Amino acid sequence: MGDYTTVTVGTDGSSSARKAVRRAAEVAADSGARLMIICAYEVRDATTDRDQAEAERALGDEAYKIIGASPAEDTLRSARDDAVRTGVSQVDTVAVHGDPTDAIIEKSELYRAELVVVGNKGLAGFAGRLLGSVPQAVSRRSKADVLIVHTV
């Protein structure tokens, strides 16, 4: 893959994202690189409860991707455990309030990652318009190499 010293990967806890984390961990382990796992989250705001309720109804099982700070740490703990089981020795995690694409790009630049790993699952329909396509946006905006993992 290359001589990577830092690899970043975004996760939202979905099965698709878990596949991306495992692949990122494999690359990091093979390169002897540090793995940085990023989880972006949004917090519920009383002024947007109605919009949040509408989004939750529309997104169904996918709603956890945009709502709630508390699941982020659990998501990161699980992703870290998966990465360690894959064989990577240096794993760091960070929860970031805000947009997933912005979080992945900003943290990847901050930690000087040479590789950013994302899953290929984009959301179609209303969910896609609401959340956008993280893989597409990351691949356009990243200054580092981007590995888009086939996860679906």
Side-chain angles (χ1 to χ4, degrees):
M1 265 280 146
D3 294 325
Y4 299 118
T5 59
T6 303
V7 175
T8 57
V9 62
T11 186
D12 58 15
S14 67
S15 61
S16 175
R18 288 182 72 162
K19 290 177 185 176
V21 168
R22 283 192 295 272
R23 184 65 183 118
E26 290 169 355
V27 171
D30 288 347
S31 299
R34 168 183 171 203
L35 179 64
M36 172 60 66
I37 305 171
I38 303 158
C39 181
Y41 65 90
E42 293 292 333
V43 292
R44 187 178 296 275
D45 182 342
T47 62
T48 60
D49 277 346
R50 188 158 154 219
D51 292 336
Q52 294 285 63
E54 182 179 327
E56 286 181 42
R57 278 193 301 279
L59 294 171
D61 292 341
E62 304 291 329
Y64 67 90
K65 292 182 180 180
I66 62 165
I67 301 165
S70 59
E73 290 301 326
D74 291 336
T75 296
L76 287 169
R77 223 176 342 271
S78 177
R80 184 182 202 297
D81 292 346
D82 286 348
V84 169
R85 279 192 296 274
T86 302
V88 68
S89 59
Q90 298 176 338
V91 182
D92 295 309
T93 61
V94 61
V96 181
H97 175 258
D99 176 74
T101 300
D102 292 341
I104 292 167
I105 295 296
E106 289 168 12
K107 293 302 178 186
S108 295
E109 289 176 1
L110 178 67
Y111 294 106
R112 295 190 177 115
E114 296 93 1
L115 178 66
V116 180
V117 179
V118 291
N120 70 334
K121 183 176 182 184
L123 299 175
F126 177 75
R129 288 190 303 276
L130 180 65
L131 299 175
S133 173
V134 173
Q136 179 184 40
V138 168
S139 68
R140 275 194 330 265
R141 292 179 46 196
S142 179
K143 294 175 185 169
D145 292 348
V146 176
L147 173 61
I148 300 176
V149 179
H150 184 69
T151 60
V152 290

